[in-house]
Amino acid sequence: MRFFNLHQIAASLRKYRRWHRWIGVSTALFIFLSSLTGILLAWKKDVALLQPPTQKSSLNEASEWLSIESIAENAETALLAHTQLEKVSIDRMDVRPAKGIVKVNFEQGYWEVQLDGYSGEILSIARRHSDWIEQVHDGSIISDLFKLFFMNILGISLLLLMASGLWLWFGPRKMRKIKKRQQA
């Protein structure tokens, strides 16, 4: 039982080759950016330039933690003294009880201040380059609407490239197999 003939397969391959080329060329820049930033994000915990290494408290865990308000105030004061910023606002605080530290991330300039949760001592002030790289990676650096649109188009495009690429690989093999049967 034959499902395809040579002419159908050849026509299908020509059509898929056009689709594959059109999708590949129109999404190449986005695929490149997403791939490059994805590679950088995979290394963010291992490369200090991308994300500051997590510090550790020198105090024991039996001590009492400072209040969140006190930690926030210490972080804001330290960042203002370290930079030329006039005003800062906290985006989020990442509490690491096992290490005794709090990472305070700011909305301005991708800054992170790490503090000892027990003493309030400043352990590190550095930029988190991984945050803006992640925003480029997912498209949210432009807007949340663009992120939603960008990621869906990119995902669908990659699925179509995979499907058309598989057919462009499998189709010629199928044609050779049919030709061999016809010659025999």
Side-chain angles (χ1 to χ4, degrees), residues 48-125:
L49 178 65
L50 298 175
Q51 182 172 305
T54 302
Q55 304 297 313
K56 191 169 180 170
S57 172
S58 59
L59 298 176
N60 65 19
E61 294 177 15
S63 303
E64 193 169 312
W65 276 62
L66 296 174
S67 69
I68 292 294
E69 293 81 17
S70 176
I71 290 171
E73 187 178 312
N74 286 357
E76 287 174 353
T77 303
L79 184 61
L80 288 172
H82 182 78
T83 65
Q84 301 298 321
L85 298 171
E86 294 178 18
K87 184 181 175 196
V88 293
S89 53
I90 294 173
D91 179 40
R92 65 188 181 275
M93 297 173 82
D94 182 7
V95 178
R96 305 280 176 102
K99 295 194 176 198
I101 63 127
V102 178
K103 293 181 177 187
V104 181
N105 297 307
F106 293 87
E107 292 177 357
Q108 298 81 9
Y110 305 102
W111 285 100
E112 172 188 275
V113 176
Q114 293 186 36
L115 298 97
D116 188 306
Y118 303 109
S119 68
E121 175 190 351
I122 305 300
L123 302 174
S124 164
I125 300 175

Side-chain angles (χ1 to χ4, degrees), residues 8-19:
Q8 289 173 321
I9 293 173
S12 171
L13 285 170
R14 282 190 294 277
K15 181 172 61 172
Y16 274 80
R17 197 172 292 118
R18 279 193 303 272
W19 288 358

